[in-house]
Amino acid sequence: KIFKNHSSQKIFGPPGTGKTTFLLDEVKKHISNGVDPENIAFISYTNAAANEGKKRVSRKFPGLGSLNFPNFSTMHSLATKIGGEKGKELCLEEHWKDFDNAIFCYTEWTEKNDPFSASSRYDHPVLDLYSLALARETSLSEELNNKLESDNYHDYLDVMAIQDTLQSYFNLPGSVELLKYSQRYIERYLDYKRRENLVDFNDVIINTVDDNFDNNRIPTFEVLIIDEAQDLTDSLWSLAKKLIRKAGTVLIAGDDDQAIMINFGASAHEFLKIK
């Protein structure tokens, strides 16, 4: 779709001011005015928030259920749906363990009591550092240097964990050249994914924000709502801007004072900058 009129609004809402309620009321208003629920996207940082929004809206319309709101999701879920996997298989615990049995894996249920919503996740010092660099659209060396130069105790613990992990994986005695071996570890991880035709959650975002990604795959929503926008990373903002350019009515809501995900790459300044 190409919309003759495009409107964008930015909404600041500190805790308890009814920001999400306001956004869901906007969804109800558009549905009442004839907008198909499938043409409304409600993007939140967590699956739990997106699912809760879906339930709250569907309760107001007796003929609609959660399945009528397929685009109430996280940015990662949307990126996967529009082809961010590029036909490859999404990494599961068995794949991470096959690459490196020391990777700690866990299962995250994106919807309570729904086993079909289970997703595999990992917790690993070097892979987490790499994810942070991708989220901030920087580099492994820059993020490692930031931690090495930081006075923050948590950054110190991260560096120690990276060192221990690399020593164990490469069977290295004594001190480790952290950047050299971190890069070597990531190279092996990327090679493994290529060899096994796999992608992870970082890849689905990287693929969709790439300039070569088919722009026709970027959906054209009549209504696009991005909630908790201060928690989007730089890479997620790159995808968000693609969605915003092609949408009709856009509402971007958040509170830069609530930016609690900065250590995971969240970019509150992008929320403040966006027109």
Side-chain angles (χ1 to χ4, degrees), residues 142-168:
E142 185 173 339
E143 295 305 330
L144 180 58
N145 284 335
N146 286 341
K147 289 187 180 293
L148 288 169
E149 295 171 3
S150 172
D151 294 327
N152 187 295
Y153 183 62
H154 292 291
D155 287 330
Y156 168 77
L157 293 179
D158 287 344
V159 170
M160 292 298 100
I162 291 168
Q163 179 171 288
D164 291 345
T165 298
L166 295 172
Q167 281 178 324
S168 176

Side-chain angles (χ1 to χ4, degrees), residues 89-108 119-124 127-128 130-131 169 185 189-190 192-193 196 198-203:
E89 185 181 356
L90 196 61
C91 280
L92 300 173
E93 178 175 350
E94 63 197 69
H95 302 121
W96 286 311
K97 289 291 188 181
D98 183 45
F99 167 67
D100 178 2
N101 195 50
I103 296 175
F104 174 74
C105 298
Y106 61 96
T107 300
E108 181 179 88
S119 298
S120 296
R121 297 287 189 269
Y122 62 71
D123 185 359
H124 184 271
L127 293 179
D128 289 344
Y130 177 61
S131 293
Y169 181 80
Y185 185 93
Y189 176 61
L190 297 178
Y192 173 80
K193 286 192 296 179
E196 300 296 326
L198 297 168
V199 292
D200 59 23
F201 280 104
N202 291 320
D203 295 317

Side-chain angles (χ1 to χ4, degrees), residues 3-272:
F3 301 101
K4 291 181 179 179
N5 300 310
H6 171 90
S7 68
S8 292
Q9 289 181 292
K10 187 159 57 175
I11 299 159
F12 289 87
T17 53
K19 180 173 80 269
T20 301
T21 298
F22 170 78
L23 296 174
L24 294 176
D25 284 344
E26 287 293 302
V27 172
K28 296 169 196 171
K29 182 179 76 176
H30 284 287
I31 293 174
S32 298
N33 289 337
V35 176
D36 189 321
E38 290 192 10
N39 290 328
I40 300 174
F42 186 97
I43 308 297
S44 192
Y45 186 76
T46 65
N47 284 290
N51 290 331
E52 179 60 26
K54 190 188 305 184
K55 290 175 183 175
R56 285 171 62 178
V57 173
S58 59
R59 286 192 206 111
K60 297 294 181 180
F61 297 92
L64 300 176
S66 291
L67 292 178
N68 295 104
F69 299 90
N71 297 310
F72 276 52
S73 71
T74 64
M75 201 71 82
H76 282 89
S77 295
L78 180 62
T80 302
K81 187 191 302 185
I82 64 177
E85 292 169 301
K86 286 196 167 180
K88 298 183 178 182
E89 185 181 356
L90 196 61
C91 280
L92 300 173
E93 178 175 350
E94 63 197 69
H95 302 121
W96 286 311
K97 289 291 188 181
D98 183 45
F99 167 67
D100 178 2
N101 195 50
I103 296 175
F104 174 74
C105 298
Y106 61 96
T107 300
E108 181 179 88
W109 287 29
T110 58
E111 192 158 0
K112 189 177 180 181
N113 299 325
D114 179 7
F116 294 104
S117 71
S119 298
S120 296
R121 297 287 189 269
Y122 62 71
D123 185 359
H124 184 271
V126 182
L127 293 179
D128 289 344
L129 183 70
Y130 177 61
S131 293
L132 183 61
L134 294 175
R136 290 178 173 166
E137 297 183 335
T138 57
S139 66
L140 199 67
S141 60
E142 185 173 339
E143 295 305 330
L144 180 58
N145 284 335
N146 286 341
K147 289 187 180 293
L148 288 169
E149 295 171 3
S150 172
D151 294 327
N152 187 295
Y153 183 62
H154 292 291
D155 287 330
Y156 168 77
L157 293 179
D158 287 344
V159 170
M160 292 298 100
I162 291 168
Q163 179 171 288
D164 291 345
T165 298
L166 295 172
Q167 281 178 324
S168 176
Y169 181 80
F170 290 104
N171 195 25
L172 298 169
S175 61
V176 178
E177 294 181 63
L178 293 180
L179 179 58
K180 173 183 175 181
Y181 283 98
S182 292
Q183 289 174 329
R184 188 170 294 179
Y185 185 93
I186 296 303
E187 286 167 4
R188 291 189 181 185
Y189 176 61
L190 297 178
D191 284 341
Y192 173 80
K193 286 192 296 179
R194 278 191 291 268
R195 195 168 60 249
E196 300 296 326
N197 207 34
L198 297 168
V199 292
D200 59 23
F201 280 104
N202 291 320
D203 295 317
V204 298
I205 299 299
I206 292 169
N207 291 338
T208 51
V209 302
D210 189 276
D211 290 339
N212 294 319
F213 187 76
D214 184 0
N215 195 50
N216 291 320
R217 285 184 170 272
I218 303 297
T220 53
F221 295 114
E222 289 190 46
V223 182
L224 170 64
I225 295 173
I226 301 176
D227 196 12
E228 305 298 348
Q230 77 280 348
D231 286 331
L232 295 185
T233 65
D234 286 310
S235 61
L236 292 179
W237 272 113
S238 294
L239 177 54
K241 289 171 184 176
K242 283 191 172 186
L243 296 168
I244 290 166
R245 282 194 292 269
K246 296 184 72 172
T249 299
V250 180
L251 296 171
I252 305 168
D255 177 13
D256 53 302
D257 290 332
Q258 289 186 73
I260 59 174
M261 305 303 291
I262 289 175
N263 288 338
F264 297 95
S267 185
H269 67 271
E270 282 295 329
F271 170 58
L272 294 172

